[in-house]
Amino acid sequence: MEQRPCGKSGIDISVYGIGAWSFGGGADDYWGNQEQTEVERIVHAALDMGVSYFDTAELYNDGRSEESLGKALGARRDEAVLGTKVLPQNCSREGVREHCEASLRRLGTDRIDIYMVHWPLQEHSAEEAFGALMTLAQEGKIRAIGVSNFTGPCIREALATGATVAVNQLHYSLLSRAIEHEALPACIEHGVGVVGYMPLLQGILTGKYRTLEEVPWYRLRTRHFRGDRRGARHGGPGAEEEIQAALDGMRRIAEELGEPMSDVALAWVAAQPGVTCVLAGARDVAQLEANARGCSLKLSPEVLERLSVLTDPAKAKLGPDLDYWESPENSRAT
Ligand SMILES: NC(=O)c1ccc[n+]([C@@H]2O[C@H](COP(=O)([O-])OP(=O)(O)OC[C@H]3O[C@@H](n4cnc5c(N)ncnc54)[C@H](OP(=O)(O)O)[C@@H]3O)[C@@H](O)[C@H]2O)c1
């Protein structure tokens, strides 16, 4: 498995990273139930195939994702690069320390390899939050500082505090290309690695749903889809026509190449300039193996260009806002 650098941090991670949002999930959680035995099978198979990056957050299943991941890694913890996230509202000087220590306890480790601020700061200043993170780094509680969903100006503000920002974790898929407007160029300019999340748009880009009507309602809450759908809170018009056309076109290209559509979707993200890692969830070992293969697939420049052109109309319709869940007025990425 190819390993790529996380910006200037000196840490390398695998091009395929495991998203652990579903780990530790129960019946009432977003992803539903995920058995610990299955999590352990996924984590060990991933390590065996050279997948080194594992991503979680204090938010995921109220901390149970961290607990589940830590337990699954067990004695093999040192083989992994462990990333977790603190919510921006917890980023006061004392808050960062308290929440980091709570994550360390749940993960069952003495250090977090990449500790990220989950969304741009609102109530706490960059000096306060990143100052506290730099102190934790000096103490060895964290190895590198990262951010998530940060716009170009937010990244520059973080860097101005003197912090080295290893990665910016951003929603990036063939149907979610808002980062190309300015966050991605800013990351490239400042040497911040991009970890692209939801590259399969929660399964929609795998081709397993022929039409959007087959997709479970809770995966249709983003601005890609009409705001009057159940669970959506953005109130926007969606881009369903453009998305259906892009999915049909992708299916044709995948058939032409003789590759599964999910491999094509992952390979496209892995090939984009500035991308360090493609972060996809896996519910079982079969999905893990498929995703590892997809992230390692090399597409020709012509195919990459055709895929980009195919999804340009969806990109134009959805605009530059990095927050795909909220309306532009309520965007958390400002
Ligand atoms: N920083 C942030 O704000 C943020 C936000 C969201 C996510 N993330 C991170 O990114 C990770 C990935 O995002 P995600 O899990 O939401 O979305 P995703 O990776 O696009 O989709 C994952 C889901 O798609 C299905 N799937 C995965 N591989 C498949 C395959 N090969 N064939 C068929 N179906 C497949 C699985 O669900 P089913 O089998 O149930 O269909 C899986 O749980 C998260 O776990 C999390 O670590 C970060």
Side-chain angles (χ1 to χ4, degrees), residues 20-36 39-40 55-72 84 102-103 105-108:
W21 185 358
S22 63
F23 291 6
D28 296 335
D29 293 309
Y30 182 83
W31 287 103
N33 200 42
Q34 175 97 29
E35 293 296 335
Q36 184 63 16
V39 170
E40 284 166 18
D55 184 83
T56 181
E58 61 174 358
L59 177 71
Y60 299 162
N61 304 324
D62 293 326
R64 279 176 286 113
S65 166
E66 292 182 324
E67 282 167 2
S68 164
L69 177 58
K71 196 164 165 227
T84 191
S103 284
R105 275 196 297 277
R106 287 191 291 267
L107 287 161

Side-chain angles (χ1 to χ4, degrees), residues 39 42 187:
V39 170
I42 295 167
C187 289

Side-chain angles (χ1 to χ4, degrees), residues 19-21 31 55 60 85 118-119 148-149 169 197-203 206 208-209 219 262 279-283 287 290-291 325:
W21 185 358
W31 287 103
D55 184 83
Y60 299 162
K85 313 180 197 84
H118 205 143
W119 283 89
S148 177
N149 303 301
Q169 192 175 115
Y197 73 73
M198 270 168 68
L200 296 171
L201 199 56
Q202 303 197 330
T206 64
K208 66 182 169 187
Y209 310 109
R219 298 187 186 189
S262 57
L279 195 57
R283 309 280 287 178
Q287 288 186 358
N291 297 344
W325 286 268

Side-chain angles (χ1 to χ4, degrees), residues 43-194:
V43 167
H44 290 278
L47 289 170
D48 290 343
M49 65 175 73
V51 173
S52 60
Y53 184 59
F54 295 83
D55 184 83
T56 181
E58 61 174 358
L59 177 71
Y60 299 162
N61 304 324
D62 293 326
R64 279 176 286 113
S65 166
E66 292 182 324
E67 282 167 2
S68 164
L69 177 58
K71 196 164 165 227
L73 284 168
R76 299 184 72 180
R77 189 262 172 265
D78 290 348
E79 294 174 51
V81 176
L82 207 44
T84 191
K85 313 180 197 84
V86 57
L87 288 165
Q89 58 269 35
N90 298 332
C91 283
S92 65
R93 181 158 284 281
E94 316 72 52
V96 168
R97 173 173 297 278
E98 270 167 37
H99 286 260
C100 175
E101 284 171 357
S103 284
L104 285 168
R105 275 196 297 277
R106 287 191 291 267
L107 287 161
T109 186
D110 60 354
R111 71 203 181 280
I112 292 163
D113 298 302
I114 308 178
Y115 197 41
M116 292 160 277
V117 180
H118 205 143
W119 283 89
L121 297 162
Q122 303 288 349
E123 60 220 77
H124 303 292
S125 71
E127 288 71 25
E128 182 172 13
F130 288 93
L133 288 164
M134 285 189 275
T135 305
L136 292 179
Q138 280 155 11
E139 293 171 6
K141 287 195 159 69
I142 66 174
R143 283 175 68 208
I145 297 168
V147 297
S148 177
N149 303 301
F150 269 41
T151 61
C154 293
I155 292 164
R156 283 186 261 276
E157 195 183 33
L159 292 170
T161 65
T164 299
V165 178
V167 292
N168 188 10
Q169 192 175 115
L170 296 159
H171 185 15
Y172 200 22
S173 76
L174 270 161
L175 291 175
S176 318
R177 294 172 53 198
I179 71 166
E180 293 174 359
H181 292 277
E182 64 74 47
L184 179 60
C187 289
I188 293 172
E189 183 189 339
H190 296 290
V192 173
V194 168

